[in-house]
Amino acid sequence: MASVNLLSSQSSNALWFDRPAEHFEETLVLGNGKAGASIFGGVATDSIYLNDATLWSGEPVDPNMSPEAYKNVPEIREALKNENYKLADSLQTKLQGSFSQSYMPLGTVYLNFEHKNKPASYHRQLELDKALSTVTYEVDGVTFTREYLISYDEQAMVIRLKSSKKGALNFNVGFSSLLKYEVTSNESTLEVSGYAPYHVEPSYRGKIPYPVQFDPNRGMRFTSLFKIQNTDGELESTNKSVALKNAKEAVIYISMATSFNGFDKNPVTEGADHKAIAASQLSKASSKSFESILDTHLKDHQKYFNRVHLDLGETTAKDLLRTNA
């Protein structure tokens, strides 16, 4: 017999879906102003795109690369005055310096779960007033729950995983990226260190040989740390993943940092110590419980979120009815 869940369309602060995201545009997005995550919410594999606002290609450039640019302004103004826009458009290129470099996606973290059968009662949502995303579903009569947030105070992403049955939680954490990187692990922590291209050609410049250029001695550096903190079960690790077997509950802490140290600083020779920063953030976050981090996170988020409330009146839309087999 089908079970029926009533989900109200009146909820103004929640986005929800009855299936995992298939495309990036369907993911639920979290962030704290620097770190960002796009969550697919898959059952067998949950893919989470990770970003850091300071992870870019390129190196410092000469800020005074076009010292004579201003001399072309009078001629451009004259062309505009004469409504000769074609000439004005061609002349404005003389004001331009080099093109900007490209924002680099850090990579994807994978949470791979051991489920033998198909899920039921799947639900994923993002509570906008809490900046908290959740995924729930049932497999073989066991309810699995995931809660995701990115803490501004801790500068870390935190994920709590729970099962309703002892020993039913089995998963591993893996990583991949289009950037250059290396992975190491110990019993509970996966460490990723890598670097971005030192040069990327814009796509609008057409077909250019080797548009993305890497050099191990150039480009922005980054470190990402993924730590499983458990109260039961057994931790395992390989050279590419860390795993937890036969558990009921666990928390994953994710810390990201780059060598960005200012627009005018070489990210290799003058860069910030990204490994030390990532380690410090992880240590601070993992010393606290999920409940403690969530409490601080909610206070921090809601003091801004609750500043404005827009009421458009009652809706004539009926409550949404979702039926689960």
Side-chain angles (χ1 to χ4, degrees), residues 24-316:
F24 169 76
E25 292 80 6
E26 299 172 344
T27 60
L28 295 175
V29 179
L30 298 174
N32 64 4
K34 182 176 182 292
S38 300
I39 304 164
F40 281 76
V43 175
T45 297
D46 190 358
S47 303
I48 305 172
Y49 291 169
L50 298 176
N51 292 280
D52 186 293
T54 62
L55 186 56
W56 286 69
S57 65
E59 298 170 306
V61 297
D62 180 7
N64 195 32
M65 66 183 71
S66 302
E68 303 295 312
Y70 72 95
K71 294 182 178 180
N72 298 285
V73 174
E75 190 176 359
I76 294 173
R77 288 174 174 167
E78 184 65 23
L80 291 171
K81 181 180 179 182
N82 296 329
E83 298 185 1
N84 191 342
Y85 303 118
K86 185 176 181 180
L87 175 61
D89 185 59
S90 64
L91 291 173
Q92 64 86 22
T93 59
K94 297 181 179 181
L95 302 182
Q96 298 175 359
S98 63
F99 54 81
S100 65
Q101 286 290 322
S102 299
Y103 183 51
M104 296 283 102
L106 188 147
T108 305
V109 59
Y110 300 97
L111 309 184
N112 301 300
F113 296 88
E114 297 181 11
H115 295 312
K116 295 181 180 179
N117 295 307
K118 293 183 178 181
S121 303
Y122 181 93
H123 180 76
R124 68 182 173 103
Q125 71 174 18
L126 172 61
E127 295 175 271
L128 301 176
D129 56 339
K130 297 180 180 180
L132 178 71
S133 184
T134 59
V135 169
T136 60
Y137 58 89
E138 294 180 8
V139 176
D140 296 328
V142 180
T143 300
F144 294 89
T145 304
R146 306 175 207 153
E147 299 166 279
Y148 317 72
L149 66 86
I150 299 184
S151 167
Y152 175 82
D153 187 63
E154 309 300 333
Q155 287 296 307
M157 182 175 187
V158 189
I159 306 170
R160 179 164 62 178
L161 306 98
K162 296 191 294 184
S163 65
S164 62
K165 180 181 178 181
K166 186 175 181 180
L169 183 61
N170 295 275
F171 69 94
N172 68 61
V173 180
F175 178 86
S176 71
S177 176
L178 294 175
L179 306 181
K180 303 296 184 181
Y181 69 97
E182 294 181 349
V183 179
T184 58
S185 67
N186 59 33
E187 186 179 49
S188 64
T189 304
L190 194 71
E191 178 176 341
V192 177
S193 292
Y195 58 94
Y198 70 89
H199 181 79
V200 174
E201 286 283 340
S203 59
Y204 59 75
R205 286 169 62 85
K207 292 184 178 180
I208 295 177
Y210 308 107
V212 180
Q213 299 176 15
F214 287 94
D215 185 320
N217 299 310
R218 301 171 69 179
M220 191 74 69
R221 272 45 196 163
F222 72 90
T223 294
S224 292
L225 301 173
F226 309 88
K227 179 181 176 64
I228 300 175
Q229 194 150 289
N230 63 312
T231 54
D232 63 347
E234 301 87 39
L235 288 165
E236 299 177 357
S237 66
T238 69
N239 59 347
K240 293 185 179 181
S241 68
V242 288
L244 180 63
K245 304 294 184 182
N246 305 317
K248 190 174 189 295
E249 182 174 336
V251 178
I252 301 173
Y253 299 87
I254 301 174
S255 173
M256 298 177 281
T258 77
S259 63
F260 178 77
N261 197 27
F263 73 94
D264 57 346
K265 299 292 192 301
N266 185 292
V268 177
T269 60
E270 304 172 285
D273 189 343
H274 53 102
K275 291 187 177 183
I277 295 171
S280 176
Q281 291 171 172
L282 182 67
S283 177
K284 178 184 176 184
S286 61
S287 68
K288 300 179 181 179
S289 67
F290 182 87
E291 291 85 354
S292 175
I293 293 175
L294 175 61
D295 181 63
T296 301
H297 166 74
L298 292 176
K299 292 176 182 177
D300 179 56
H301 174 70
Q302 291 178 348
K303 72 180 179 183
Y304 297 108
F305 186 90
N306 293 333
R307 290 178 301 175
V308 178
H309 177 73
L310 177 63
D311 187 353
L312 299 178
E314 293 186 10
T315 177
T316 57

